[in-house]
Amino acid sequence: MTRKLVVIGAGMASGRMLEHLFDQAPGQWDVTLFNAEPRGNYNRLMLSPVLSGDKTYDQIVTHDTDWYLAQGVTCRFGEAVVGIDRGARIVHGARGPVEYDALVIATGSAPFIIPLPGHKLPGVVAYRDLEDTNAMIEASRPGATAVVIGGGLLGLEAAAGMAARGAEVTVIHLMGHLMERQLDPAAGYLLQRDLEKRGIRIHCKGATKAILGTDRVEAVLLEDGTTYPADLVCMAVGIRPETRLANDAGLEVARGITVDDQMRTSDPAIFALGECVEHDGQLFGLVAPLYDQAKVLAATLAGTPAAFMPLQTATKLKVTGCDLFSAGDFAEGPGREDIVFRDPGRGIYKRLILEGDRLIGAVMYGDTADGPWFFDKIRSGADITADRDTLIFGPAFAGGAQADPLAAVAALPPEAEICGCNGVCKGTIVTAIQGGAATLDAVRGLTKASASCGTCTGLVEQVMALTLGDGFAANANPPMCKCTDHTHEDVRRLIKSMGLKTIPAVMQDLGWKTVGGCASCRPALNYYLIADWPLEYRDDRQSRFVNERNHANIQKDGTYSVVPRMWGGVTTSAELRAIADAVDRYAVPMIKVTGGQRIDLLGVRKEDLPAIWSDFNQAGMVSGHAYAKGLRTVKTCVGTDFCRFGTQDSTGLGIRLEKLLWGSWTPAKVKLGVSGCPRNCAEATCKDIGVVCVDSGFQISVAGAAGMDVRETVPLLTVETEDEVCDVISAFVQLYREQARYLHRIYKWVDKVGLDWAREQVADPATRAGLIERFRLSQTIYQTDPWAEHAARPDEWAPVADLRLRAAE
Amino acid sequence: MSQLIDIAALEDIPPQGARVVRTPQGCVAVFRTADDRVFALDDRCPHKGGPLSEGIVHGTSVTCPLHNWVFDMATGQAQGADSGAVATHAVRVEGGRILLNHTVLAQRNTA
């Protein structure tokens, strides 16, 4: 007996379902198919190749009207369904009703449109159907500008497609890296780099504020004030299940239409499948589970027992030249372990996530050939203990012998190239070592191997270990931390030579061994990037040590000490009054004069910090940076103004130097002293940089210390004018900022590079001018009062919730 | 069936950062990792009482700001050569909100 089946929606899921149904139960159902789009079923996944011009619409049609007619389906295309009468089992179409014995709702999903100002302007499209695709194709003529909001799978495919047609495309993405639901930051970084190479501009951490335009879209404005011109805006921020019909019919709907394992809704005569359903709390956007649902529903309608079990899914991005693969669960978590493989030179990154003896996730970029093999291991839940050592190398190494890390290098013939930059082969390095080169520096000096970009340093060391055996001490200059094999010096050099401008970029291209670094390397990397790329880099607060993050010194009991700046140690009665008021207002338990001629307020509670800063700002005082790896104080004596021995205005010069240098971040703290005569009351000769004023001018000396080590400064240069003092010192500080290892104070750095070399740099007029210019540039960005910035947002400093009252209820 | 308390939106905590929740038994630090996982630990390092909420978050670990002890946020166990543990609390994210187990409000025995 033929029964009546009505299907609403001719998408990929319903197409596949009908195919299975006609195979399994031919003639059993009399089918009527509604579709709001005036056409049959096409492969929505292939819209990207249509957009980029690689395919035409005709090539992506899967079930056209002829196919449906051949199967005896009554097609009501271009007709919307206006309602479902469950009691009478009737579907009301715009052009008349149809009775059903069974109904399938396959309405898919609707693109999510953020209701930003301007979102209804002509020229704003989603990326969902052929109409959107055609609109983008039309707007993508060469020279046109387009903005894509959303750096997920769909947004990037839209961007790549329009860019391929010649449009100038910008992608705005709210999160810190692209495709964050499928990729970790390292893979996201590689993807961003590849997309940027093909001319697509990427703006991560970008919150869209408004879409601008009068008659049609003209530009997109971000919260941070950035504006991107746009002839077309594609909003690809997500989709949500299309549940309006089901809602109106009174079916149970959560985020999607609730279905059981047989795809049955809360009404036993009504089924649903595809992106509009919610099964066991889960929504579905990728095609594999939708096809599984189609199979289950066809079986159910044919009267065969079947149950839907959602399986892991894998993602691939359909952008030519960007090879990425992501499957399973890649988040870090308790009991989870990572195996990470990075080949920076080839732009390859692979990460496997293990839980116990099983593989649960895989993220790959650059080389995804083994993706299906890993995916199979994820789905099968196979025990991988035995293969763990070689797992990341994929099926080619599966079950092979344990790899000796040196074996691959040992097997290389003498003519194998080790250093690509300088064309140095293994034999040359071995000869140099046998000739007496026993350190990496010596090998570098003789052969130039690893002396340029340095990514082959590890290989060179392996050749040394093989040649020298136990005689090789690889750790003469230890690596930065356990996250990397590179030394601080190598990392600094490579950041500059390879143009690395973000922490994920450094970690990827330099082969970091951990996922997110550690508390030791992150602050160092943050500093190196600030110092090397003041204009491009954005400070990462979460990679700052607590004192710099909170702009105050943490004390043993978790309170903070606050030190306002006191230029050259000079203050006024108004400032002292403001300090006294703050002490009373915030019940500061201790006031102390520091060794650097300032006043320290000890024992301030964290939540009071924004208010006390605000008070000091209003009294004209700024942060003293007493917590900073940066310029701290310039200690002075009274000089010619009052002292009968003073030869110059040491107080005035100290204030001038402090105003020049404050706010600059440095590898470690920097303290200055300016003494008005050789009696040296400001103790300038045990500071990082000291100036002693004499009748003939100014003696500048450097590399003193009065901390763990006590050092007297050594003379750098003697100059005649205050202007020259300022020039020499800012050049010297910049040299230190650009060259030194994080946490090394000036004396340690000078011990390494040699004072003569440093003097040559700042004495040479051209080099000095370059250093001064770079320092000034950095100061235009970083010479700001951090207190002012944070005092404006006090909420972030208070506890996020207080449950003490709730407990009392 | 444990009762969960809505304490904040996920967005209230910066990625790789932490915020503090006051409870009758002292502060609880709620951490957010780079990939938006959330953990809750007592805000007191067992070594010298340092505020873990001010530490640097890396992966699923946090480093105490006072003396660099590192704790696995999932288990509360000190890592490396240090031994000791900090109490953890059940916490999860649902619909963008952070839900904390209510037992942090209950009187704990001083163990």
Side-chain angles (χ1 to χ4, degrees):
Chain A
M1 193 192 84
T2 311
R3 290 187 294 157
K4 297 192 189 75
L5 175 69
V6 173
V7 179
I8 306 173
M12 296 177 71
S14 90
R16 181 60 65 99
M17 189 278 287
L18 289 174
E19 217 173 276
H20 286 306
L21 183 63
F22 296 140
D23 276 355
Q24 288 177 34
Q28 206 173 314
W29 292 92
D30 174 15
V31 182
T32 303
L33 176 61
F34 283 92
N35 197 27
E37 281 186 62
R39 62 179 71 86
N41 184 16
Y42 56 90
N43 186 343
R44 221 175 276 277
L45 299 179
M46 289 292 129
L47 283 177
S48 296
V50 171
L51 175 59
S52 61
D54 294 336
K55 276 196 166 42
T56 64
Y57 170 69
D58 290 339
Q59 290 174 302
I60 68 166
V61 171
T62 54
H63 305 86
D64 57 13
T65 313
D66 292 344
W67 183 86
Y68 289 115
L69 290 178
Q71 306 296 324
V73 175
T74 310
C75 295
R76 294 178 63 163
F77 292 164
E79 178 180 358
V81 172
V82 292
I84 300 165
D85 181 344
R86 287 167 51 197
R89 294 199 175 175
I90 290 175
V91 170
H92 291 283
R95 293 196 285 272
V98 194
E99 289 178 17
Y100 67 81
D101 297 305
L103 170 64
V104 172
I105 302 178
T107 43
S109 59
F112 190 77
I113 299 286
I114 314 170
L116 295 166
H119 74 278
K120 287 188 174 153
L121 284 171
V124 179
V125 300
Y127 184 24
R128 187 63 199 152
D129 54 26
L130 190 63
E131 274 72 29
D132 299 329
T133 309
N134 285 334
M136 284 193 271
I137 290 173
E138 212 160 292
S140 303
R141 35 178 214 288
T145 53
V147 168
V148 176
I149 302 174
L153 200 59
L154 215 53
L156 296 183
E157 291 182 7
M162 288 192 282
R165 286 185 180 269
E168 194 183 299
V169 183
T170 304
V171 176
I172 316 282
H173 191 50
L174 188 60
M175 306 304 286
H177 68 272
L178 296 173
M179 287 182 68
E180 78 288 346
R181 283 173 60 194
Q182 290 87 13
L183 300 181
D184 59 10
Y189 156 75
L190 284 176
L191 173 60
Q192 175 166 349
R193 201 177 61 175
D194 279 356
L195 291 171
E196 282 169 347
K197 270 189 206 151
R198 51 184 73 202
I200 299 172
R201 188 192 287 131
I202 310 278
H203 187 132
C204 284
K205 293 188 191 167
T208 311
K209 190 173 184 183
I211 298 171
L212 309 178
T214 43
D215 299 329
R216 60 171 289 121
V217 53
E218 288 165 19
V220 171
L221 171 70
L222 306 193
E223 293 283 357
D224 67 8
T226 316
T227 310
Y228 294 110
D231 301 315
L232 179 115
V233 173
C234 172
M235 215 182 279
V237 290
I239 52 173
R240 61 177 163 205
E242 179 56 72
T243 59
R244 279 176 294 183
L245 274 176
N247 264 324
D248 293 348
L251 295 174
E252 196 180 300
V253 173
R255 283 181 299 163
I257 305 167
T258 314
V259 294
D260 63 12
D261 290 351
Q262 279 69 47
M263 312 312 296
R264 201 182 304 264
T265 68
S266 55
D267 179 334
I270 303 182
F271 301 84
L273 87 162
E275 290 181 334
C276 61
V277 308
E278 177 170 336
H279 175 271
D280 206 10
Q282 202 184 337
L283 300 175
F284 304 88
L286 299 173
V287 76
L290 302 193
Y291 281 173
D292 286 345
Q293 291 176 0
K295 211 181 281 180
V296 169
L297 179 53
T300 305
L301 291 171
T304 317
F308 173 59
M309 294 252 302
L311 288 171
Q312 300 280 1
T313 49
T315 307
K316 286 198 87 152
L317 180 74
K318 290 170 294 302
V319 174
T320 322
C322 295
D323 278 332
L324 69 81
F325 177 90
S326 152
D329 187 350
F330 62 85
E332 290 171 41
R336 290 185 177 179
E337 293 173 274
D338 293 296
I339 299 176
V340 180
F341 172 87
R342 302 183 200 245
D343 184 343
R346 291 191 299 151
I348 290 174
Y349 167 81
K350 301 181 187 187
R351 177 168 160 229
L352 301 179
I353 300 92
L354 309 180
E355 195 167 65
D357 53 13
R358 291 185 316 121
L359 181 66
I360 61 160
V363 181
M364 265 165 270
Y365 196 92
D367 174 7
T368 56
D370 296 338
W373 188 76
F374 289 120
F375 186 40
D376 182 57
K377 292 227 174 292
I378 295 171
R379 281 164 74 118
S380 67
D383 185 333
I384 50 83
T385 317
D387 304 327
R388 185 176 164 133
D389 293 337
T390 54
L391 191 65
I392 196 127
F393 302 111
F397 282 80
Q402 278 221 348
D404 172 356
L406 291 180
V409 180
L412 290 175
E415 59 274 14
E417 188 178 82
I418 299 286
C419 173
C421 298
N422 297 297
V424 186
C425 64
K426 180 181 165 189
T428 312
I429 297 171
V430 171
T431 310
I433 298 165
Q434 285 164 346
T439 66
L440 185 61
D441 279 344
V443 171
R444 260 186 201 154
L446 277 172
T447 69
K448 287 270 176 277
S450 82
S452 294
C453 90
T455 44
C456 62
T457 302
L459 267 180
V460 175
E461 285 179 334
Q462 285 179 357
V463 174
M464 295 180 71
L466 279 169
T467 315
L468 291 169
D470 293 340
F472 176 58
N475 280 348
N477 190 0
M480 211 166 142
C481 65
K482 63 178 171 26
C483 305
T484 177
D485 292 329
H486 289 296
T487 62
H488 279 268
E489 288 73 13
D490 280 343
V491 170
R492 287 219 79 166
R493 192 165 45 78
L494 295 169
I495 283 174
K496 277 174 253 188
S497 67
M498 295 170 74
L500 306 175
K501 295 182 181 172
T502 65
I503 290 179
V506 175
M507 290 184 177
Q508 166 58 31
D509 281 356
L510 303 189
W512 239 244
K513 292 185 281 188
T514 55
V515 176
C518 70
S520 163
C521 59
R522 284 239 308 278
L525 294 181
N526 190 53
Y527 168 72
Y528 294 155
L529 293 164
I530 280 177
D532 289 345
W533 315 108
L535 296 183
E536 292 105 319
Y537 182 66
R538 278 208 222 163
D539 182 30
D540 176 20
R541 267 191 91 207
Q542 302 308 331
S543 294
R544 293 269 196 178
F545 181 62
V546 54
N547 287 353
E548 290 181 0
R549 199 178 332 115
N550 292 344
H551 302 293
N553 248 325
I554 196 165
Q555 309 296 334
K556 59 186 274 188
D557 62 353
T559 63
Y560 291 83
S561 78
V562 169
V563 178
R565 197 165 280 288
M566 223 166 247
W567 306 100
V570 175
T571 186
T572 64
S573 60
E575 287 183 352
L576 290 172
R577 244 178 240 116
I579 289 173
D581 286 346
V583 167
D584 291 346
R585 191 167 304 134
Y586 304 100
V588 173
M590 185 172 184
I591 316 163
K592 188 182 178 305
V593 175
T594 71
Q597 294 180 332
R598 298 185 294 189
I599 292 176
D600 193 356
L601 284 70
L602 289 141
V604 179
R605 287 180 298 271
K606 183 188 174 192
E607 58 265 38
D608 286 338
L609 289 175
I612 199 167
W613 297 337
S614 169
D615 287 2
F616 285 145
N617 277 173
Q618 279 169 31
M621 285 180 277
V622 298
S623 171
H625 291 84
Y627 46 81
K629 311 285 177 234
L631 187 274
R632 295 209 175 165
T633 60
V634 181
K635 190 171 180 175
T636 59
C637 67
V638 296
T640 43
D641 276 5
F642 292 90
C643 178
R644 65 202 157 104
F645 300 112
T647 63
Q648 309 274 3
D649 176 15
S650 56
T651 306
L653 178 57
I655 293 171
R656 186 173 165 191
L657 283 168
E658 188 164 348
K659 292 202 163 164
L660 178 73
L661 301 172
W662 78 280
S664 60
W665 300 102
T666 47
K669 63 182 172 185
V670 172
K671 294 177 173 180
L672 273 67
V674 183
S675 288
C677 76
R679 287 170 186 76
N680 195 15
C681 295
E683 294 155 350
T685 51
C686 61
K687 297 287 186 250
D688 295 283
I689 302 171
V691 180
V692 175
C693 305
V694 290
D695 268 335
S696 60
F698 306 86
Q699 297 170 340
I700 303 170
S701 60
V702 296
M708 301 254 273
D709 291 308
V710 181
R711 296 284 198 98
E712 187 184 349
T713 53
V714 285
L716 182 73
L717 287 170
T718 297
V719 297
E720 287 177 12
T721 66
E722 282 195 0
D723 287 351
E724 282 176 281
V725 173
C726 291
D727 279 358
V728 168
I729 289 180
S730 46
F732 182 78
V733 167
Q734 180 64 13
L735 192 64
Y736 168 58
R737 297 179 75 227
E738 290 177 1
Q739 299 287 335
R741 176 197 294 204
Y742 190 63
L743 299 185
H744 267 191
R745 289 189 63 177
I746 283 177
Y747 72 94
K748 283 197 179 163
W749 167 66
V750 166
D751 281 353
K752 272 177 76 94
V753 300
L755 183 69
D756 290 344
W757 176 83
R759 185 186 291 117
E760 276 167 31
Q761 305 299 306
V762 295
D764 176 69
T767 312
R768 184 198 292 187
L771 288 164
I772 292 171
E773 185 46 40
R774 291 198 292 281
F775 182 70
R776 281 196 187 133
L777 183 74
S778 176
Q779 288 293 77
T780 61
I781 309 287
Y782 283 100
Q783 194 171 56
T784 55
D785 178 29
W787 287 358
E789 181 192 334
H790 291 287
R793 300 198 303 269
D795 289 351
E796 291 171 18
W797 299 78
V800 73
D802 191 339
L803 302 182
R804 292 173 304 180
L805 292 173
R806 200 185 304 217
E809 278 168 8
Chain B
M1 205 67 179
S2 66
Q3 186 200 335
L4 295 168
I5 302 168
D6 183 329
I7 51 158
L10 180 65
E11 301 306 316
D12 290 336
I13 305 179
Q16 297 187 305
R19 293 289 294 273
V20 155
V21 176
R22 280 211 175 104
T23 83
Q25 283 73 41
C27 287
V28 169
V30 182
F31 296 89
R32 175 179 173 188
T33 64
D35 57 4
D36 287 348
R37 297 170 72 86
V38 169
F39 297 94
L41 310 175
D42 277 0
D43 192 22
R44 251 186 89 75
C45 177
H47 173 223
K48 300 259 182 182
L52 296 176
S53 57
E54 298 295 350
I56 288 178
V57 174
H58 43 100
T60 51
S61 301
V62 60
T63 298
C64 176
L66 291 195
H67 305 98
N68 290 332
W69 281 37
V70 180
F71 296 90
D72 179 333
M73 295 194 288
T75 63
Q77 288 294 326
Q79 304 292 293
D82 300 319
S83 62
V86 58
T88 61
H89 304 283
V91 68
R92 65 184 156 113
V93 180
E94 232 174 65
R97 304 294 303 180
I98 299 171
L99 307 177
L100 183 65
N101 192 309
H102 82 296
T103 50
V104 296
L105 291 181
Q107 199 68 45
R108 272 183 244 133
N109 293 325
T110 44

